Every structure is written in structure tokens, then in C-alpha cells.
Amino acid sequence: MLRKFAMVTTLAAAVLSSISGNTVKAEVLVPLQQYLNTTNRNYEANQYKTSYIIYVPQLELNGTTITMNPKAVGEPVKLPITKRDGAEYVDVENATPLIGVTYTKDRDHVQLTAAPETMQVLQNKPVQGPLSWAFDPWPNQDTPYAKKLNVSGDNIISPSWFKLHSLGLESSPNINVDYVKAYKANGYHVWPLITNRFDPDFTSGILADEAVWKKYAQNLIQYAYIYGFDGYNFDFENVDYSDRDKLTRFVAYLADELHKYNIQSSVDVTGYSNSPNWSLVYDRKSFANSVDYVVLMAYDQTWAKSTTAGPVASYPWVRDHAEKMLQEVPSHKLVLGIPFYTRIWHESGGVARGETLAIKNESSYFTNHASNIIWNDTLKSYYAAIPTTSGIDKIWFEDNKSLGYKLNLVKELQLAGFAAWRKGFEDDNTITMIQGVDLGKGTPNTAPVVEAPKPVVEKPLTKAERKALEKAAKEKAKAEAKAAKEKAKAEAKAAKEKAKAEAKAAKERTKANAKTVNEKQKVDNDIASIGLAVQVVKK
């Protein structure tokens, strides 16, 4: 049920205050019901009154002053509710006046009043590299990192909390302010991930509707100011190539609107390939001119649906794509994506089927199949070929040693940092290893990493392995040729539609010109007739 309260409460609420580190303000918690009785925001509750949505007015910016326009239709924001010992509170210190209340404090008591409709732009400080970053697609499943991934620069966590929707921004029901506070207390910046659902048809629709762009920007700003986000990550994938220019403008628009409110942004891009929807659609150079960081997803060298086995992120492939991208993206803006996973390839009859293998689940293979594992110094990874009853299982491992080579590229190429996909796939040894890597500002931690014993035999590739890689290369070339054909087809279709539109416009112009000529001729005839009639009258 939608309700609105414009009253001012004079009740004093008990305040629960605590200091949670340098990056978190003291909490000022008021009981949920007292907030609801005071706020001047429209709100509605779910059936069980366990979650509330408030409607925040549109924001208008004049210099550094934000004005909330109560006459405009508001955007929905999930109310940030903090739970303490089974009771529900709203933190009025960290949420800003956008939630519709302000307060005065007298010792341990708080007096609430309805918030004013103006506030100042927050003075968020930009993050400093080299960045240590992790993506968290299931933030409600694991506990937050207790320590920073690396102290060379700032740390970022990106929970998957937002999706684009045809009517506006769609937030996850799992968005949680206590998650944000926990990470901030541990020295992290929280930059939620926003996805386009990887749906090209849907994305075409929203890219063509610039009116909804403003709703996205407004709601992202509102969420940032209410929950304490100081950045976002745009994960827009599988976009129709014909929408390339629109995607570029869309990303630039969002980044520009967020920058006005001191909110940073980043965008994810794949490595280079001839795939129209997955690679060619990205104008990486233009992205770098708009956002603060471009994240190179340097994994899935061999795609999950491939029928030929291959590595997820071999060192030569990662390095090659990073170096190529530096020709379009400045090094201080390029973040190197690394995988916390690999794949087991179940091969039978010459056809492979991939299955994701998290780093934390790899140790049993080194224990049980040591004789089948070798180190490939070219690819900088361990490789396993394990016979099975139906064929053979092949694994190109991603482990501390393999990841270490890739992380060293951050310092060598002077990149902006690294970003790992994904939290929950790693183990404690992986985190310890990362904490000891010199990303460019000195080694923060030299504690030894304890790993399970691994074979150290260095052998050249066997004939069968070379054959498999050659087959993978041929399949990749075939796929790229197919992608190039699709690109040409898409370009031809676009050109045809453009020519058709131009022809239609030309036809309409010709028709309009002919109509103008006919009308002019008619006017001339009428004038001639009048002149003749005047002469007759004079006679």
C-alpha cells in the first residue's frame, strides 16, 4: 500500500552509534517505524513488511546544489534497513537527505524532521591505483573479504545488484546496506555491477529509447547517495553490432551524468575477435574517453560452448590482448581481468564439453593425478591429460603460479590494476598470494604462500597436444570467419536500410517540391486571371 507522510515528529529516538573504520561514518540508527512516520517520501511495503520501496524525486543540479523536485515522478529505491539483534533500523547518518528525513542529535537521542529538498553534491574521492578488484555475482552467499586483496592501491568489490529494464533500473532484492558497510569497514569501495541481461534484442530497444536513459542515470545516482556507492561497473555484453554507435553514446551519457555527482564508472570489454556482438561492438577508445576505467575481461580464451578443448587465459593470449588494448586505452585506465576458475574439458570422439572448475576445487587433481600433470612454460600453466572410460579429460589450470605471471603484467605494463572473476571461486592461498604481489608500488606482503605439492616437470607439448591446439586454432579461425561474415551481413543490412531510408526521403522531397511547383503555378494562374479580369473591367 502506497503511503505518504509529511508530518514532523517530535519524538526522540534512541541512537545506536559505532565507528566502523576510517571510511565509514558513525552510524545514527533510528527505529524503522519512526523513520516511516517522519519521511516525506512516498513508500510501499511488500506483503510481509520485510522490505520497503521509497520513491525519490528527480534530481536537478545547479552548480554543486542538488534540488529534489517533488512534483516530478520519483524513482524507486529499496530502503536501506540495518538489522541489529533482530530489530530493524534506518541509518540516517549515512543515507543522505534523499531518504526524506534529517535529524538533530542531543547526546544519545535523535530528533527527526522531514528533510529539505536541497543538498550539496558529495565530495567523493576518486579511487587510486593500482586497483585490486573482485566481482561478486552472489553477494548473499559468502562472507565479505576480511582483508584487502592488496594494499598497493584502493580495493573495489562489485556485487551484481542491477539490471537494465525497459521501464527503468531493476535492483536485486538482495541489495543490502550491511554488506556495503562491512566492506567499507574493511577498506573497500563498493561499485555495483549493472548488466544488460546479455540480450541483444532487449538492448536494441533500450538503446533506441533515450528517454529511459535519464531514468537509469537518476536511479543510479539516487542509489549511490543512499547506499554509499562511489562508482559503478557497466557489464554490457552481446550487443547487436548495428547498435555500436548507440552503445557508445549510452555509456558516455551514463558516465557523464554520474561524474556530475562525483560518482565514478567503469565498463567491461572482451578481448579482440571478429565476433560482431561480443567484440567488434565495443568502441574501446571512445569508452576510455568517457569512463574512469576499462576492464579487459582477459579470460574465456576458449569459450564455454567450444567443442575443442583449450585454456581459459594462457599467458601469451592475455599479454597480447593487453598490449593491443593499450593502443586504444591509456594504461592508467586499463584494468586487467583475471580468472579465479578454469575448465575441465571432457573429450570423447574428438568433441569436447567444458565444465567450470573453481581454483578452490583444483587441489584434488594435483593429489590424485600428479603423473598426468606437466608444466607448460609457453602457456605459463599446468596442463593435465587424464584418461577416462569415454575418452580423456583435459585441464589447463589457473592457479597461484599461473595467476602470478598475469598479475605481474600490472606492474610491467603500468596498468590501472586487476579485477578478478569471481569471488567465491578462489581459496585462502590465492588471496595470500595476491596480497604479496608487487602491483607497482612496492611489495605489501612477503609472507610465504603454502601450497599443495605440485609437479615441476617441464616438458614440451606432445604431438597429440600440438594437434589439439592446432585444431583449436582452426576452429577459432573458422569461428572468426563466420563472425566476419555476420559482420559483413550486418553492415550490408544497415547500409541497405540507410539507402532505403535515403531513397524514401528523396522521394518525399521530390513529391514536396512537385507540390510546391503545382501550388506556385496555380497561384500564377490565379494572378493572371485576376489581371485579365481587371483589364476587361477597365475597357
Side-chain angles (χ1 to χ4, degrees):
M1 180 179 178
L2 188 66
R3 303 179 66 190
K4 181 174 181 180
F5 289 92
M7 62 179 287
V8 176
T9 181
T10 57
L11 296 176
V15 58
L16 301 178
S17 300
S18 65
I19 302 296
S20 304
N22 294 331
T23 58
V24 180
K25 300 176 183 177
E27 292 178 322
V28 178
L29 304 180
V30 297
L32 172 62
Q33 190 58 54
Q34 184 174 347
Y35 162 80
L36 296 175
N37 291 342
T38 310
T39 183
N40 54 11
R41 301 286 174 255
N42 291 323
Y43 71 83
E44 58 186 354
N46 65 2
Q47 180 181 356
Y48 305 102
K49 294 187 177 180
T50 57
S51 179
Y52 291 79
I53 295 294
I54 60 174
Y55 290 86
V56 183
Q58 287 187 11
L59 310 180
E60 299 173 357
L61 193 61
N62 183 11
T64 60
T65 300
I66 302 171
T67 301
M68 289 157 263
N69 183 358
K71 296 181 180 179
V73 177
E75 297 298 332
V77 173
K78 182 182 177 183
L79 181 65
I81 297 175
T82 291
K83 295 184 178 180
R84 295 287 188 275
D85 299 324
E88 295 180 323
Y89 300 89
V90 175
D91 183 356
V92 294
E93 172 64 24
N94 288 284
T96 75
L98 267 62
I99 63 171
V101 298
T102 188
Y103 76 95
T104 56
K105 182 179 176 183
D106 180 16
R107 294 185 180 181
D108 290 335
H109 289 76
V110 168
Q111 187 162 325
L112 295 182
T113 57
E117 299 301 339
T118 62
M119 66 172 290
Q120 293 299 302
V121 171
L122 296 182
Q123 298 303 308
N124 295 325
K125 294 182 179 180
V127 292
Q128 300 296 317
L131 302 173
S132 297
W133 194 332
F135 293 103
D136 190 3
W138 305 106
N140 60 323
Q141 290 186 355
D142 297 307
T143 57
Y145 287 136
K147 296 181 180 179
K148 292 182 178 181
L149 293 173
N150 194 287
V151 297
S152 295
D154 283 328
N155 284 236
I156 297 174
I157 190 74
S158 287
S160 297
W161 275 342
F162 296 102
K163 297 178 182 179
L164 300 181
H165 188 280
S166 58
L167 299 179
L169 192 67
E170 179 182 333
S171 64
S172 167
N174 296 319
I175 189 170
N176 188 318
V177 72
D178 287 331
Y179 173 100
V180 178
K181 290 182 177 182
Y183 266 109
K184 284 195 166 188
N186 293 335
Y188 283 76
H189 296 261
V190 182
W191 289 26
L193 178 147
I194 307 145
T195 177
N196 66 322
R197 304 167 185 267
F198 296 5
D199 183 334
D201 293 334
F202 162 78
T203 307
S204 288
I206 63 105
L207 290 178
D209 182 11
E210 295 191 14
V212 79
W213 297 8
K214 183 176 181 180
K215 292 173 70 67
Y216 295 144
Q218 283 277 312
N219 218 185
L220 289 173
I221 294 163
Q222 292 164 351
Y223 263 104
Y225 272 44
I226 289 174
Y227 276 80
F229 312 143
D230 50 14
Y232 285 102
N233 175 256
F234 306 142
D235 190 23
F236 303 150
E237 301 184 51
N238 194 18
V239 180
D240 196 287
Y241 178 77
S242 62
D243 290 322
R244 186 174 192 263
D245 291 342
K246 292 178 182 177
L247 175 65
T248 304
R249 292 200 306 273
F250 178 53
V251 169
Y253 172 81
L254 291 180
D256 183 57
E257 290 300 304
L258 293 173
H259 281 153
K260 293 176 183 177
Y261 292 81
N262 286 335
I263 303 167
Q264 292 187 280
S265 62
S266 60
V267 66
D268 302 332
V269 299
T270 58
Y272 294 97
S273 77
N274 287 329
S275 173
N277 285 21
W278 293 93
S279 179
L280 297 176
V281 72
Y282 295 132
D283 186 344
R284 297 167 177 84
K285 186 175 182 179
S286 293
F287 284 168
N289 292 330
S290 302
V291 300
D292 297 281
Y293 295 99
V294 176
V295 181
L296 165 58
M297 297 182 288
Y299 33 80
D300 275 1
Q301 175 183 355
T302 309
W303 285 27
K305 294 183 179 180
S306 173
T307 56
T308 301
V312 165
S314 69
Y315 178 79
W317 182 85
V318 171
R319 184 183 186 107
D320 178 57
H321 285 264
E323 290 178 337
K324 285 182 179 178
M325 205 159 294
L326 286 173
Q327 298 175 24
E328 297 188 275
V329 180
S331 62
H332 69 277
K333 284 194 170 188
L334 184 60
V335 176
L336 181 67
I338 62 170
F340 278 169
Y341 70 96
T342 187
R343 290 196 174 91
I344 308 174
W345 295 97
H346 306 291
E347 193 172 276
S348 178
V351 178
R353 175 178 57 83
E355 177 186 347
T356 299
L357 174 64
I359 284 179
K360 66 182 181 181
N361 297 327
E362 290 181 350
S363 60
S364 63
Y365 288 90
F366 287 96
T367 302
N368 300 328
H369 303 283
S371 61
N372 300 104
I373 300 175
I374 64 170
W375 172 258
N376 184 314
D377 199 48
T378 300
L379 302 182
K380 300 289 189 254
S381 69
Y382 287 104
Y383 168 74
I386 305 170
T388 65
T389 55
S390 59
I392 189 170
D393 283 352
K394 297 179 178 179
I395 309 171
W396 286 263
F397 289 95
E398 291 295 335
D399 68 337
N400 289 355
K401 188 173 181 180
S402 178
L403 289 177
Y405 279 103
K406 290 184 267 284
L407 286 171
N408 287 339
L409 291 174
V410 174
K411 180 178 180 179
E412 181 182 346
L413 302 179
Q414 298 181 333
L415 304 180
F418 75 88
W421 181 270
R422 69 166 177 87
K423 182 182 183 297
F425 276 174
E426 76 290 358
D427 59 19
D428 291 340
N429 285 332
T430 304
I431 299 301
T432 303
M433 180 274 293
I434 293 173
Q435 289 171 340
V437 174
D438 179 2
L439 296 176
K441 289 186 177 180
T443 305
N445 184 353
T446 57
V449 179
V450 179
E451 295 188 67
K454 294 182 180 180
V456 294
V457 180
E458 297 188 8
K459 299 179 182 179
L461 294 177
T462 65
K463 183 178 180 180
E465 290 166 355
R466 286 197 302 270
K467 188 175 180 180
L469 289 176
E470 289 172 359
K471 183 178 179 181
K474 289 181 181 179
E475 183 174 288
K476 181 180 178 182
K478 184 178 178 181
E480 289 177 346
K482 181 180 178 182
K485 186 176 180 181
E486 292 176 352
K487 175 193 173 186
K489 185 177 178 181
E491 289 177 338
K493 181 181 178 181
K496 185 177 180 181
E497 292 176 350
K498 182 179 179 181
K500 184 177 179 181
E502 290 176 346
K504 182 179 179 181
K507 185 176 180 181
E508 291 176 350
R509 285 196 301 270
T510 301
K511 185 177 179 181
N513 290 338
K515 182 178 179 181
T516 301
V517 170
N518 291 337
E519 290 176 350
K520 184 175 183 300
Q521 184 63 48
K522 182 179 179 181
V523 171
D524 291 343
N525 292 340
D526 290 343
I527 292 173
S529 298
I530 293 171
L532 182 62
V534 170
Q535 291 178 5
V536 171
V537 170
K538 286 182 177 180
K539 291 179 179 181

